[in-house]
Amino acid sequence: MTLDVERLECRLGGTPVLEGIAGLTARAGEITALIGPNGAGKSTLLKAIAGIERATGSLRLNDHDLMALPFEKRAEHLYYMPQELSSRAVLSVFDVVLLARRTRIREPLEQALEQVRDTLVALELEPLAERELGRLSGGQRQRVAIAQAAIREPALLMLDEPTSALDLHHQLQVLDWLARFAHERQAIVVVALHDLSLAARFAQRMWMLANGRVAASGTPGEVLTHARLREVYAIDAHIEWPADEPPRVTPLTAIRPLGR
Amino acid sequence: MTHASPATASADSVTRYRARRRHQRRLIAGLAVLTLGMCLADIATGPGQYPLQDILAALVAPGDVSQTLRVIVWEIRLPVALMAVLVGVSLASAGAEMQTILNNPLADPFTLGISSAASVGAALAITLGVSVIPLAQPLWVTGNAFLMALGASLFIWGISRLRGVSVQTLVLMGIAVMFFFNAMLGLMQYVASAEALQQLVFWSLGSLGKASWDKVGLIAAALLVTLPVFLHAGWRLTALRLGDMHAKAMGIDVARLRLRMLLCCSLLAAMAVAFVGTVGFVGLVGPHIARLLVGEDQRVFLPVSALSGALIMSLTSILSKTLVPGILLPIGILTALIGLPFFVSLILRSRREVWG
């Protein structure tokens, strides 16, 4: 099972945000990291795949031509997890995770409740089940959003910076869990990340965007090179690939202003 | 929000969820019983003093009581009491859904000028004998009220879709809509005949006094159409509270959902205004109470809002008959007096960006 992106173009308010996005592939059972500096078009690419932003081009999820499906139908195959979950809704954690299940899968309520419990347990959220969203920390809310995403059992799961508000423990816990989710469900998982060390450690493939175009794609070893980090991120970085330890990308200096 | 749970903190999440749901169901049943009791008290209240058992006898076995009592209960008081309940349910349900779809705790048919627009529609039929769409004459008032309410709703909806429109802007825009339609109403009052003017005053103050069985039937029919639509969209409406992007991610057509809900809200607001005049703040206070009691899960938020609205209207109906002995006070004045402190407290809360 694969996701293939070819010739994707997207304009927001008349301004081209994605241009000629092509040659991107993500496979089932793997984590694909979507990386690139701020404003590179990462969120827009994920929203365009989900059908939330209008785009032209070719998007294939296995035998499905996603472009032929309106976003309501695409939501049956995929899920896009936005960056932030509202803290203003007067709803409990259990309610919002149940909500994500009930808007996707028709099944007896009992079955749905069991699924919610299992998902909350897996993401260490069960003690918070009855707490309101407004009384959670940013990191806790982010894990609730991940629980919402997972419980819909999408074939393609896209997460927009799911670790941005998490402490180190929960960053590892969430990415470990996503790796297991991808492997056990044979789901395609695409994760937009800023931390290149984490991305290199957990992802089997990488898509690197810059200025709304594909700067590189391939394995982390192929994508993360000194020259490319200089070109795309405008930084000098120390990149290590130790044999028995996770890879490390340590930024050293910013070498020039970063902009379009 | 009270997630009261008799289960211990160590119980698993499903057990705690079930305990909360049981508590919510009991609360809804309790509110329904309270509403029924308030409705009975409303029927028992009036210029003629009758013992409660006589009133109950007239309700249960109308053939066994005097004709006077039968007429008072069945032709005068029962339609008024039922109208109070149904208008309360209509306004509070419309308020609850408007607050949900516009992401705005200050939204209700009155504060956004939709009730004023409906009043102008009704006034067009009364003073000028004008029907906006070709309908049978008895439906002119209702039809006009609905179309004008719909127009005002669509205007507010259009404004809410513009980029950078805040909660405060929307409420100010609603006030502008209200001013505009109040000015139109003033103009019509100025040119109206003495008889029409008297009827127009009825719209602007709100009164249950002209309730009748056919009006009760019409507003009940409107609720029978709209409440299932609200309930059917329950999960999607709850999802909307997480923000548009989350709702879209779940495959919800947010724009279509908003439009459909606004259509239903306009119908309910128009019915209420056409039959009892402008009654403010019930649509604001009912959902506010529900939010505090059960949160915003539509499965409970909607019924608790509706029952709270019914309770407020029933209570107002009783107060309108008893506050000043011998005088029937306009209910619109009373709901405004009760609702204004809520409105002010909500403005102060939204200043702290509870909803932003």
Side-chain angles (χ1 to χ4, degrees):
Chain A
M1 193 159 79
T2 56
L3 168 71
D4 296 293
V5 184
E6 296 293 342
R7 305 184 317 277
L8 198 76
E9 312 265 341
C10 179
R11 301 172 80 86
L12 295 181
T15 311
V17 180
L18 298 176
E19 293 176 277
I21 301 284
L24 297 182
T25 298
R27 296 201 175 96
E30 293 183 352
I31 289 186
T32 299
L34 174 57
I35 59 171
N38 293 335
K42 300 188 294 295
S43 298
T44 308
L45 174 59
L46 297 183
K47 286 181 204 167
I49 295 171
I52 294 170
E53 297 292 359
R54 279 169 195 243
T56 58
S58 162
L59 282 173
R60 294 200 72 82
L61 181 63
N62 288 336
D63 297 331
H64 294 288
D65 174 9
L66 287 183
M67 281 301 187
L69 299 176
F71 82 92
E72 302 101 298
K73 289 285 175 197
R74 287 191 211 186
E76 293 171 11
H77 305 282
L78 55 83
Y79 185 74
Y80 162 71
M81 188 196 105
Q83 283 180 9
E84 283 181 17
L85 182 64
S86 167
S87 61
R88 298 181 191 127
V90 190
L91 293 166
S92 74
V93 169
F94 198 99
D95 285 338
V96 296
V97 179
L98 179 63
L99 161 76
R101 181 81 179 182
R102 298 301 265 177
T103 48
R104 163 75 183 87
I105 296 167
R106 282 177 191 271
E107 64 190 345
L109 179 65
E110 288 306 307
Q111 217 168 309
L113 296 180
E114 302 295 321
Q115 288 291 333
V116 174
R117 176 177 53 201
D118 294 348
T119 308
L120 292 179
V121 168
L123 284 161
E124 299 179 12
L125 284 166
E126 225 215 356
L128 304 174
E130 287 299 295
R131 196 172 289 183
E132 279 173 38
L133 291 185
R135 297 175 63 199
L136 299 178
S137 70
Q140 288 167 335
R141 265 201 305 281
Q142 208 158 32
R143 285 187 290 137
V144 173
I146 293 166
Q148 281 193 303
I151 204 164
R152 291 172 67 89
E153 298 180 9
L156 165 61
L157 175 55
M158 298 180 288
L159 303 102
D160 203 348
E161 297 183 25
T163 57
S164 60
L166 299 185
D167 58 47
L168 294 174
H169 169 86
H170 287 112
Q171 284 183 17
L172 292 177
Q173 183 237 352
V174 160
L175 286 166
D176 260 333
W177 183 84
L178 281 174
R180 269 204 315 280
F181 179 86
H183 179 70
E184 287 168 9
R185 306 274 174 99
Q186 280 302 295
I188 302 169
V189 177
V190 181
V191 190
L193 285 172
H194 274 302
D195 187 324
L196 298 183
S197 292
L198 273 183
R201 175 172 171 177
F202 284 95
Q204 286 74 45
R205 304 187 71 75
M206 276 191 172
W207 299 347
M208 183 189 265
L209 295 191
N211 297 328
R213 294 172 184 273
V214 178
S217 72
T219 64
E222 290 166 350
V223 173
L224 295 176
T225 62
H226 288 103
R228 205 164 275 128
L229 292 185
R230 282 181 74 89
E231 180 196 330
V232 172
Y233 282 89
I235 56 165
D236 270 331
H238 184 61
I239 307 171
E240 294 174 273
W241 301 93
D244 301 324
E245 288 175 47
R248 283 191 287 272
V249 181
T250 313
L252 300 174
T253 47
I255 54 174
R256 59 180 159 79
L258 189 65
R260 283 186 79 105
Chain B
M1 182 183 184
T2 311
H3 286 316
S5 166
T8 61
S10 61
D12 91 339
S13 51
V14 174
T15 311
R16 283 180 283 157
Y17 169 81
R18 285 205 186 100
R20 173 160 54 89
R21 292 285 291 156
R22 273 197 301 277
H23 169 76
Q24 288 172 340
R25 278 193 283 267
R26 278 198 291 268
L27 182 75
I28 291 171
L31 282 173
V33 170
L34 206 59
T35 305
L36 192 66
M38 196 70 84
C39 190
L40 276 176
D42 192 8
I43 297 167
T45 314
Q49 301 288 323
Y50 296 95
L52 188 60
Q53 59 263 38
D54 288 2
I55 299 283
L56 287 172
L59 283 171
V60 178
D64 297 347
V65 297
S66 72
Q67 195 188 348
T68 315
L69 183 57
R70 190 165 62 241
V71 168
I72 285 174
V73 168
W74 280 90
E75 299 304 320
I76 301 169
R77 292 192 188 175
L78 193 53
V80 167
L82 287 179
M83 184 58 96
V85 167
L86 294 174
V87 165
V89 170
S90 300
L91 291 176
S93 305
E97 301 314 5
M98 288 180 80
Q99 289 173 23
T100 302
I101 58 176
L102 298 176
N103 190 26
N104 186 335
L106 302 173
D108 96 324
F110 183 70
T111 55
L112 292 186
I114 291 160
S115 295
S116 302
S119 295
V120 168
L124 272 174
I126 295 163
T127 55
L128 306 176
V130 172
S131 178
V132 183
I133 46 168
L135 284 170
Q137 198 172 3
L139 292 172
W140 281 11
V141 172
T142 318
N144 280 2
F146 174 62
L147 276 176
M148 296 299 275
L150 185 64
S153 297
L154 289 177
F155 177 73
I156 298 291
W157 176 70
I159 295 287
S160 76
R161 283 172 66 89
L162 297 177
R163 274 182 190 273
V165 171
S166 67
V167 170
Q168 286 79 3
T169 314
L170 214 56
V171 172
L172 289 174
M173 203 53 76
I175 291 170
V177 170
M178 193 157 64
F179 273 131
F180 171 74
F181 284 109
N182 283 349
M184 296 293 289
L185 204 59
L187 184 67
M188 271 182 269
Q189 284 175 341
Y190 189 71
V191 299
S193 65
E195 189 197 349
L197 184 63
Q198 195 190 359
Q199 285 194 53
L200 278 181
V201 170
F202 157 82
W203 300 114
S204 55
L205 296 181
S207 166
L208 289 162
K210 295 197 175 176
S212 62
W213 279 109
D214 53 348
K215 289 175 183 171
V216 166
L218 273 174
I219 199 163
L223 279 168
L224 278 176
V225 171
T226 50
L227 287 184
V229 176
F230 291 154
L231 289 170
H232 181 67
W235 284 115
R236 283 173 285 156
L237 287 165
T238 308
L240 210 51
R241 290 297 300 121
L242 299 175
D244 281 17
M245 194 54 77
H246 265 83
K248 283 180 185 171
M250 290 182 201
I252 296 164
D253 188 336
V254 171
R256 197 195 303 165
L257 180 66
R258 281 210 169 97
L259 197 57
R260 196 176 295 168
M261 293 304 121
L262 260 186
L263 210 69
C264 291
C265 292
S266 303
L267 177 63
L268 291 179
M271 284 286 176
V273 168
F275 298 146
V276 302
T278 310
V279 177
F281 299 109
V282 177
L284 193 76
V285 179
H288 183 64
I289 292 170
R291 196 171 289 116
L292 287 173
L293 288 176
V294 293
E296 294 177 310
D297 177 347
Q298 288 279 330
R299 291 173 300 166
V300 271
F301 178 59
L302 179 66
V304 173
S305 295
L307 287 169
S308 303
L311 266 175
I312 294 166
M313 277 300 289
S314 254
L315 180 67
T316 310
S317 173
I318 294 169
L319 289 176
S320 73
K321 291 183 267 188
T322 52
L323 270 183
V324 182
I327 292 177
L328 185 65
L329 290 173
I331 46 160
I333 292 173
L334 292 175
T335 58
L337 287 174
I338 295 169
L340 265 171
F342 273 96
F343 188 58
V344 172
S345 76
L346 279 174
I347 289 173
L348 292 175
R349 277 184 72 193
S350 70
R351 211 166 53 99
R352 293 202 300 269
E353 296 192 11
V354 173
W355 278 38

